[in-house]
Amino acid sequence: MTVTARTADLTGGRPVVPSRGVLRPLGLGEVRITGGFWAQRQQVNGRHTLDHHREWLDKLGWTGNFTAEAGQGSRERRGREFSDSEVYKLVEALSWESGRVADPVREAQLDELTAMIAGAQAPDGYLHTAFGRAGQRSRYEDLAWGHELYCAGHLLQAAVARARTGGGEALLDVARRVADHVCEEFGPDGRDAVCGHPEIEPALVELYRVTGERRYLDQAALFVDRRGRRSLPPHEFGWSYFSDDQPVREAKVLRGHAVRALYLAAGVIDVAVETGDDELLETVAAQFDRTLARRTYLTGGMGSRHLDEAFSDDFVLPADRAYSETCAGIAAIMVAWRLMLATGRERYADVIERILFNVVATAIGDDGRSFFYAHTLHQRTPTRILPTDVEQLGFGGGPRAPWFEVSCCLANLGRLLASLSTYVASVEGDTLRVHQFADAEIDTVLGDGRRVAVRMGTEYPDNGTVRLDVLVASGGPWTLALRLPAWAAGASVTVNGQAQPVAGDRVLLTREFAAGDVIVLELPMRPRFTRPDPRIDAVRGCVAVEQGPLVLCAESLGGELDLDSLRVDVDTAPADGDAVTVRGHTEDLPDEPWPYADAGPVGRRDPLAVPLVPYHRWARSGPSTMRIWLPTA
């Protein structure tokens, strides 16, 4: 049955709302981050990053493309073929932010942007500012690189966010017309083709979840089934770049362009969940699991090839050439969250935590107005300070920049941070499951309709103590489940001061809770050495240091000391004082006329204690070198 209009999500809005699965996600109205590490970043995002993004869109003319295409201007279109998507992602981010913190100024901005977008839509529903108008290329003549369906997908996701946060029907009407056009153009009787950049797939499913229009789900499933037939033109990077080299159901691992592969995986999970195809769900889960085991950096970053922004072969994970695009990290969170909701497997929350603290938190500048596109794990030459008003043409690495020619990452950060509270907890029957640790208030109903509310307080990740105060408990026993991270051996938990059993990947506390009950989880935060799989040639003979969920790194040693000359003593455990330190020494590495010899360096300096910092803090105090993987003595 077609549903022409639905009210806003009564939970306050959630990015993903599956109709079936083990877990029910909670919305902005059920979970609120109130302080600490992530609240500060949400505030910066809401007060600075979103406005910074809009300023650059206007400055570069990417918003102006919509008014020009609507007949209100005559200049040539500006920006790359996918620049429309940055406007749509801003709308999505503003929608989640408006749902998080009611703000009439944001609502006015959203209404203005919606009217601008609607004014550029063609009578048949088509909407893209780079194709189909006078002097432009024809629609869909370049499916490999045109990004038309990719941009449509981001528009649909923006409309879903707007609808779920009480934004009315205007943008949803635009999105429905776009989706109807896509179904007519690419349905069973239309073009037998796919887009070079997956994104339309999860967007169509989410629009189906909002509207109840079945053909949107069917179209997403059709795109998934068409993928992998090599229907796109041959390219120097191969069909794997477009995830078009082999059918989804036959693939064993994610490959090719990392963001494309992960967006597709998210869409496949959505299709599998909504169609009840458990075999397809387990297929994509196995692909993601193998990718985590063999093609993922310690930080959770994905993508180790700069040339094509792609996954490489198993265990090819060079630290100094890590690509680990911010968008790929966010896309991996999208995949892990969907898999967790569908399967209930807590280990996917570990993946989300790792990426949040070591990719997402690393990417954005302290002022919210600069960001990393790629995330190296080893910076050999000092970063440099960039001007704040210059667009950077190179986007494969370097320091945090205010804007890149390809600036997909900033809007992705904006929409994730604005909706971050929705990843904190979920409900499974009569169980409230807490997945991420932050200052937060959770107020929801269990599967049987009983209301429960808890307040979580913590200094995590600087401290491993997590306290939960029960605020509301509506009679009868229920279960509170707390995630135990894989690194947290030796964790303990008490209820009203009484020790409770701890085992497995979560603590299960079942009892008739009462308002005023206090639960305290203690997670050991001792710094620890981490060793790489010996098949990762690039870092064999090295160690890294982690503390809780944080990956640590060594920054510039100062003076004449070179980080690349550092050798770490692994027989002495990392020390935790004012800063985490490791013992080691540096070796003299003189310049020679030939970089190979029959013996290694022999010059050795006095021992020293090397301070380490969280990776997410690197390059915030000026130009620096950095490395995560440290050679051993």
Side-chain angles (χ1 to χ4, degrees):
M1 179 180 68
T2 299
V3 179
T4 57
R6 290 189 175 187
T7 57
D9 189 331
L10 296 178
T11 67
R14 298 164 289 177
V16 183
V17 186
S19 66
R20 57 189 290 270
V22 175
L23 306 179
R24 177 179 72 82
L26 305 185
L28 297 174
E30 296 173 285
V31 185
R32 186 167 62 94
I33 296 174
T34 56
F37 188 95
W38 289 114
Q40 189 271 335
R41 283 156 179 79
Q42 283 192 318
Q43 290 167 6
V44 169
N45 183 60
R47 295 173 183 173
H48 303 294
T49 301
L50 300 182
D51 290 335
H52 175 77
H53 191 273
R54 176 64 190 271
E55 290 163 8
W56 274 92
L57 291 180
D58 291 346
K59 174 181 177 179
L60 296 174
W62 296 3
T63 45
N65 290 331
F66 289 86
T67 55
E69 291 302 325
Q72 301 174 31
S74 58
R75 63 169 180 76
E76 292 186 1
R77 183 186 184 278
R78 298 175 66 182
R80 297 282 291 270
E81 63 277 1
F82 42 75
S83 64
D84 289 2
S85 69
E86 306 314 329
V87 178
Y88 302 147
K89 279 187 285 186
L90 174 63
V91 172
E92 182 182 350
L94 287 169
S95 297
W96 295 127
E97 183 64 15
S98 182
R100 188 183 76 86
V101 180
D103 185 345
V105 174
R106 292 297 187 208
E107 284 296 312
Q109 291 174 334
L110 283 162
D111 289 342
E112 174 227 343
L113 288 166
T114 296
M116 180 191 77
I117 292 166
Q121 189 168 30
D124 66 351
Y126 178 84
L127 181 51
H128 198 288
T129 68
F131 296 90
R133 302 282 183 168
Q136 294 180 335
R137 290 181 290 172
S138 300
R139 297 177 180 180
Y140 306 122
E141 74 170 39
D142 185 8
L143 282 169
W145 297 101
H147 288 75
E148 288 159 279
L149 294 178
Y150 167 83
C151 289
H154 278 301
L155 171 61
L156 268 55
Q157 288 182 319
V160 166
R162 189 78 175 117
R164 287 181 176 156
T165 52
E169 297 294 320
L171 189 59
L172 190 60
D173 287 343
V174 174
R176 289 178 62 93
R177 293 180 59 208
V178 168
D180 290 342
H181 166 80
V182 170
C183 291
E184 290 296 325
E185 192 74 25
F186 292 90
D189 299 323
R191 299 172 186 261
D192 185 9
V194 296
C195 181
H197 199 310
E199 161 62 21
I200 189 70
E201 297 85 355
L204 280 167
V205 178
E206 219 57 59
L207 187 63
Y208 156 73
R209 289 166 172 166
V210 167
T211 65
E213 180 62 69
R214 174 74 192 200
R215 70 168 172 165
Y216 301 155
L217 172 60
D218 293 341
Q219 185 62 53
L222 188 58
F223 280 138
V224 168
D225 287 341
R226 285 176 180 168
R227 184 72 58 172
R229 300 187 324 196
R230 305 191 176 191
S231 61
L232 294 167
H235 186 266
E236 63 177 311
F237 297 148
W239 279 289
S240 66
Y241 179 83
F242 305 110
S243 296
D244 197 35
D245 56 324
Q246 60 186 139
V248 169
R249 296 176 188 273
E250 297 177 11
K252 303 300 182 186
V253 69
L254 301 185
R255 66 237 170 269
H257 187 276
V259 178
R260 283 170 165 84
L262 288 158
Y263 278 177
L264 177 61
V268 174
I269 296 165
D270 288 338
V271 167
V273 166
E274 295 304 324
T275 60
D277 192 337
D278 292 338
E279 181 180 1
L280 180 59
L281 176 64
E282 287 304 321
T283 295
V284 73
Q287 293 169 8
F288 188 60
D289 290 347
R290 184 178 177 90
T291 302
L292 291 171
R294 294 168 175 260
R295 300 186 174 191
T296 303
Y297 283 100
L298 179 66
T299 56
M302 297 195 174
S304 55
R305 285 168 38 171
H306 278 240
L307 181 64
D308 50 351
E309 302 182 305
F311 293 105
S312 192
D313 296 330
D314 289 352
F315 303 109
V316 179
L317 294 164
D320 55 353
R321 291 297 293 166
Y323 199 68
S324 180
E325 184 184 340
T326 298
C327 283
I330 293 169
I333 289 175
M334 292 167 57
V335 172
W337 183 238
R338 283 165 166 80
L339 286 174
M340 185 171 180
L341 293 177
T343 67
R345 296 166 190 161
E346 197 72 65
R347 56 191 170 86
Y348 292 123
D350 280 7
V351 175
I352 292 171
E353 177 181 73
R354 182 172 292 275
I355 298 170
L356 283 175
F357 281 111
N358 301 296
V359 176
V360 172
T362 307
I364 196 73
D366 286 340
D367 63 356
R369 294 178 175 270
S370 62
F371 62 101
F372 281 135
Y373 186 103
H375 292 261
T376 184
L377 275 66
H378 182 181
Q379 181 71 29
R380 294 179 182 274
T381 58
T383 54
R384 64 189 190 281
I385 298 175
L386 296 176
T388 60
D389 59 349
V390 176
E391 177 186 32
Q392 298 301 306
L393 300 182
F395 51 88
R400 294 180 186 88
W403 196 261
F404 295 89
E405 181 194 17
V406 177
S407 275
C408 47
C409 298
L410 185 60
N412 254 341
L413 287 164
R415 63 178 182 157
L416 174 67
L417 288 170
S419 61
L420 189 61
S421 66
T422 67
Y423 297 88
V424 169
S426 68
V427 165
E428 179 186 4
D430 67 351
T431 299
L432 173 64
R433 290 178 57 170
V434 176
H435 309 298
Q436 305 299 333
F437 306 120
D439 283 357
E441 292 182 356
I442 304 169
D443 190 338
T444 187
V445 294
L446 302 177
D448 59 7
R450 284 181 296 163
R451 179 186 171 209
V452 297
V454 300
R455 180 174 56 241
M456 180 162 47
T458 181
E459 296 178 3
Y460 197 80
D462 295 328
N463 185 291
T465 301
V466 181
R467 172 175 169 144
L468 295 101
D469 291 82
V470 176
L471 305 179
V472 176
S474 302
W478 55 279
T479 300
L480 177 65
L482 307 177
R483 176 175 62 93
L484 286 177
W487 49 262
S492 64
V493 65
T494 60
V495 177
N496 298 330
Q498 299 297 311
Q500 304 295 314
V502 175
D505 62 1
R506 75 196 79 154
V507 177
L508 296 175
L509 304 171
T510 302
R511 59 190 291 145
E512 188 167 347
F513 287 100
D517 284 347
V518 176
I519 301 96
V520 178
L521 174 66
E522 294 285 357
L523 298 171
M525 303 294 279
R526 295 181 299 276
R528 61 195 185 276
F529 282 126
T530 298
R531 291 167 173 77
D533 187 294
R535 290 168 288 187
I536 306 176
D537 287 333
V539 292
R540 186 180 292 129
C542 295
V543 293
V545 178
E546 296 181 88
Q547 184 174 34
L550 302 178
V551 174
L552 307 185
C553 66
E555 269 200 290
S556 304
L557 295 179
E560 298 180 357
L561 297 180
D562 184 347
L563 269 182
D564 288 349
S565 71
L566 177 65
R567 302 294 179 266
V568 172
D569 177 9
V570 294
D571 292 329
T572 303
D576 187 13
D578 292 336
V580 174
T581 59
V582 292
R583 299 294 299 177
H585 65 271
T586 58
E587 293 181 342
D588 290 326
L589 301 172
D591 289 333
E592 299 289 353
W594 182 243
Y596 309 98
D598 58 2
V602 295
R604 177 169 172 158
R605 299 192 177 186
D606 293 335
L608 72 163
V610 180
L612 305 179
V613 298
Y615 176 65
H616 69 78
R617 293 303 310 166
W618 92 274
R620 296 185 186 272
S621 301
S624 68
T625 58
M626 178 275 301
R627 65 184 301 160
I628 286 175
W629 289 106
L630 308 173
T632 59

